[in-house]
Amino acid sequence: MSEAEAATAVDVAGKLGFKGGDLVQELGYDDDVDFDFRENLEDGVGSELLTEDDQDVVDGVILWWRAGDGDLVDALVDALTSLGAGGVVWLLTPKSGRPGYVSPADVQEAAPTAGLHSTSSAGVSKEWSATRLVSRRKQ
């Protein structure tokens, strides 16, 4: 890996708040995901992304979601299954104008029902946007 490639990998992981050694689970994988993003994230955390079949407690979840994938609330609840305390869910949705676009209003409606709230968003690739979701703090 070149120095520039290493910097890009760290940038992707760092942009999402991940560091080397973090375990990240990937849900919603399909042939339309951004493979460069995935590869850079794996390089940044130093391991392959875990699948929905893995039962490890993870530091974060990457959930690829498109309009028509089903019930977003159910998918977000499922994303919490392996998430460790203080972990984060990054919901990746196609950008506006792309096939499968999910409106931010749909995310804002689904997240609280799943016990999550959004804290920020980021453009992670040419085709995909990411919304950071964290568990609501107990009162």
Side-chain angles (χ1 to χ4, degrees):
M1 175 184 309
S2 75
E3 204 170 301
E5 290 171 329
T8 300
V10 170
D11 288 348
V12 168
K15 187 177 201 177
L16 300 181
F18 298 123
K19 61 190 177 318
D22 283 350
L23 291 178
V24 179
Q25 185 176 38
E26 178 182 44
L27 305 173
Y29 176 89
D30 205 343
D31 60 3
D32 63 346
V33 302
D34 186 308
F35 293 101
D36 290 335
F37 165 81
R38 290 181 77 255
E39 184 177 311
N40 288 331
L41 180 57
E42 288 177 335
D43 289 344
V45 298
S47 65
E48 290 185 6
L49 300 176
L50 302 177
T51 69
E52 58 264 358
D53 296 330
D54 292 305
Q55 301 300 314
D56 299 80
V57 174
V58 297
D59 301 296
V61 173
I62 301 296
L63 172 59
W64 302 93
W65 191 260
R66 307 138 195 94
D69 276 355
D71 187 289
L72 181 54
V73 173
D74 288 345
L76 291 172
V77 169
D78 289 346
L80 298 174
T81 304
S82 299
L83 193 63
V88 62
V89 174
W90 280 98
L91 177 65
L92 281 76
T93 56
K95 288 185 176 178
S96 180
R98 308 296 199 284
Y101 171 72
V102 177
S103 95
D106 291 342
V107 175
Q108 295 302 323
E109 183 179 316
T113 305
L116 297 165
H117 71 279
S118 64
T119 61
S120 62
S121 60
V124 295
S125 78
K126 192 172 88 171
E127 301 288 325
W128 294 86
S129 293
T131 303
R132 184 178 187 266
L133 303 170
V134 296
S135 294
R136 294 188 170 278
R137 296 197 189 276
K138 303 282 189 247
Q139 299 294 330

